[in-house]
Amino acid sequence: MSRYRNYTRFDDPAQTVGDLGFLGVDCKREPSVLKPGLCSWSENNRFVTGAAATRGGMVAPLFAQPTEPIFGSGIYSDPDGTEWLMQARATSVVLTRNGRTPITIALPADVTLSASCELVQCFAQVILFRGTSPLVDLSPLSWSGDFADDFVPIIPSETGTGTESIPAAVTGEVFGDQLVIPINRDELIFSDRLDFTHFDPVFSQAKISKGTDEEIVRILPYTRSSILIFKTASIYALTNLVGSFAENAQLEEVNRNLGCFARRSVAMVGGDAFFLSSTGIYRVQQVIQDRIQTAAVPVSEPIDPIIKRINWEYAADAVGVVFGAFYYLAVPLDSSTVNNAILVFDTTSNQWQGIDSTEFALAVGDFRVHDFQGAKRLFAMDYVNSRVFVMEEGLSDVIGNTNYPIATRLDTRGYAVEDPTTLKRFTAVKAALGTWWPTYTITAVAPGINEVQPLALAVAKSRLRFDLFGKPDFDPTEAPSAFNDPTAPRRQDYSVDLTGGVYLDGLTGEGTQLDLQQDHLERNPVRPSGARWLQIRITNTRGTIAVHAITLEGINNAQNNLRATV
């Protein structure tokens, strides 16, 4: 609705444009050409409910925090179905679980880990891959799954059996009742069935090459009878893996122009697999007649400016995972040598959420999905700083007793008020916000150099005052009553300062509630100036904020347009 209802014949009526909700991010295109609901930038936001809302926190739970450096991790499910988070340390693998005493599984006395490793569960057994070296024997180690046993070297095959022990390798993938291991740059070996530590070098080894010398980066079980093979510049599918491998397996070329840049970036999304290539993030799609093809346009095309900021010298260590509706990809941005940022893609809406960042040093080495407080949760493993985080938890990032605010930024699309080639006189901005202990700033940004106009600076909301004339302030130290109701409407902010003597009996039903978010409608005038379009930037440095809707009022500035054409 226009601010004024009546105009004379000499007045230009105000036009209103805006977004009644937000879907995702496109930072590649000019803001003025974006479709409604898209934003030109987002940091630490999620677009799940139609609003741009602060992401959940990254919290370091005490049970999972290592007491020494960790070099790898994995999930172990014991015979009772109980899950444990495995952490490979210098001389042992420690199994941790919330509410349980950690279990230490020792490595052989002559083994000390000092570099990245992989832990792979094969039924009850766990194989520890230590990589390869021409100078040192890094043969895999094996643990039986019995808590009373330790990791031991793999027992060599008996003479005359025609099998060999699996060799040193970076990793392996469980495929049915076999372990598939890439070796020697472009070869695969398939372990014996139900014996994951031995293989037949004659009938269970294959060279994956069609006239190229590319290295195998990752193998991925795709269907019950096929695996995808990601090389540095191409993708293959090994199909018809039933019965005799030597007789039935068929190698098909999926794409000869795209490869995988980071082994651990590959993750299944329903019937698709996402992966990081040197030109962006792609997905492999299963199509009709059992043929497999790779989409030519990267999924990451809308966030191409972010992809170009990846430090490709260290991007081979990027890690990805699918959890719930989201594909998370941790990458090194700008000059970082570790994965200091997380890109998040909503596989349901097919929209990017933007960048996740933190106020503390972050180096994501891997992701794990593990039981926590009765539900499956996503864990981020920080090997560099020896920390483990559960993600999307709480209202801030937490390490020990330190809370770190989640700083957010949202840049809307450019609002042109009809014709983007004419100058307008913008008059006002309205923003529908939901907040919890916020400190937010609203800024108008016009095309040009430093065309930035602050509209509202460091706006904070009181935990005590009401937006009602004459209503007494709320007293959080008193018991709830008809005159001191912690849920009474129109209080500016419903967050709780737990250090201030708060009455907390309501945790059982009648006192203060801790995470209520208040709704606000902010209206700010815009200083008159001629611009083709205007975008709104909202930043928040404390608490949480949800941007529900934004509208902008503007008048087509005929006088400025006339001067512009002279």
Side-chain angles (χ1 to χ4, degrees), residues 187-509:
E187 295 182 49
L188 294 182
I189 60 174
F190 286 72
S191 75
D192 293 344
R193 296 187 183 278
L194 298 177
D195 179 358
F196 302 99
T197 57
H198 300 90
F199 75 105
D200 185 329
V202 177
F203 296 105
S204 298
Q205 185 167 345
K207 189 176 184 65
I208 309 300
S209 177
K210 287 190 175 182
T212 67
D213 188 35
E214 302 168 48
E215 183 177 3
I216 295 176
V217 177
R218 173 71 186 270
I219 55 176
L220 182 71
Y222 196 62
T223 68
R224 287 188 295 180
S225 61
S226 66
I227 61 176
L228 293 178
I229 303 166
F230 295 87
K231 304 186 80 174
T232 53
S234 59
I235 304 172
Y236 292 88
L238 198 58
T239 63
N240 203 30
L241 296 175
V242 292
S244 171
F245 167 79
E247 294 178 1
N248 300 326
Q250 297 178 355
L251 183 64
E252 299 179 10
E253 185 179 78
V254 176
N255 191 290
R256 66 177 61 187
N257 300 313
L258 288 174
C260 181
F261 199 90
R263 173 173 59 88
R264 286 177 290 181
S265 70
V266 182
M268 289 292 293
V269 184
D272 293 331
F274 281 48
F275 64 97
L276 177 65
S277 183
S278 59
T279 55
I281 301 165
Y282 291 81
R283 67 195 308 171
V284 176
Q285 300 175 328
Q286 186 85 39
V287 293
I288 58 172
Q289 297 180 347
D290 292 330
R291 292 188 59 83
I292 302 174
Q293 66 181 16
T294 304
V297 178
V299 179
S300 58
E301 189 259 353
I303 60 166
D304 190 60
I306 300 175
I307 298 298
K308 291 179 178 177
R309 289 174 52 193
I310 292 177
N311 187 350
W312 291 102
E313 185 177 355
Y314 296 90
D317 291 326
V319 294
V321 69
V322 172
F323 181 72
F326 294 115
Y327 171 60
Y328 298 82
L329 180 67
V331 295
L333 286 188
D334 302 324
S335 60
S336 177
T337 60
V338 296
N339 297 326
N340 63 330
I342 303 174
L343 311 183
V344 186
F345 181 75
D346 188 332
T347 64
T348 302
S349 65
N350 289 325
Q351 298 289 345
W352 286 97
Q353 311 293 287
I355 293 178
D356 283 2
S357 62
T358 61
E359 297 292 303
F360 54 87
L362 180 67
V364 180
D366 219 332
F367 291 110
R368 299 295 174 196
V369 177
H370 176 51
D371 291 341
F372 181 64
Q373 297 180 342
K376 291 287 187 182
R377 303 299 301 274
L378 179 62
F379 285 74
M381 313 296 295
D382 184 338
Y383 299 146
V384 173
N385 299 295
S386 297
R387 295 177 183 140
V388 178
F389 296 95
V390 59
M391 298 185 63
E392 310 288 358
E393 174 76 11
L395 304 174
S396 62
D397 295 335
V398 182
I399 300 177
N401 295 322
T402 303
N403 284 262
Y404 296 88
I406 302 173
T408 65
R409 173 181 159 186
L410 182 77
D411 291 5
T412 69
R413 64 188 176 99
Y415 301 121
V417 187
E418 296 183 349
D419 188 351
T421 64
T422 61
L423 301 180
K424 291 89 179 175
R425 181 166 58 86
F426 296 100
T427 58
V429 171
K430 289 189 290 187
L433 309 175
T435 62
W436 182 91
W437 194 233
T439 300
Y440 60 84
T441 294
I442 303 176
T443 306
V445 181
I449 306 301
N450 292 325
E451 295 286 345
V452 178
Q453 181 184 155
L455 304 179
L457 292 174
V459 177
K461 298 295 181 179
S462 171
R463 289 167 167 157
L464 309 180
R465 291 194 298 272
F466 289 83
D467 287 332
L468 289 172
F469 179 75
K471 185 171 180 60
D473 287 355
F474 171 67
D475 187 346
T477 65
E478 293 185 1
S481 68
F483 303 100
N484 195 57
D485 184 356
T487 62
R490 304 295 295 276
R491 184 148 58 97
Q492 291 186 9
D493 187 77
Y494 290 86
S495 63
V496 178
D497 181 5
L498 295 177
T499 66
V502 179
Y503 185 88
L504 289 177
D505 281 0
L507 294 178
T508 60

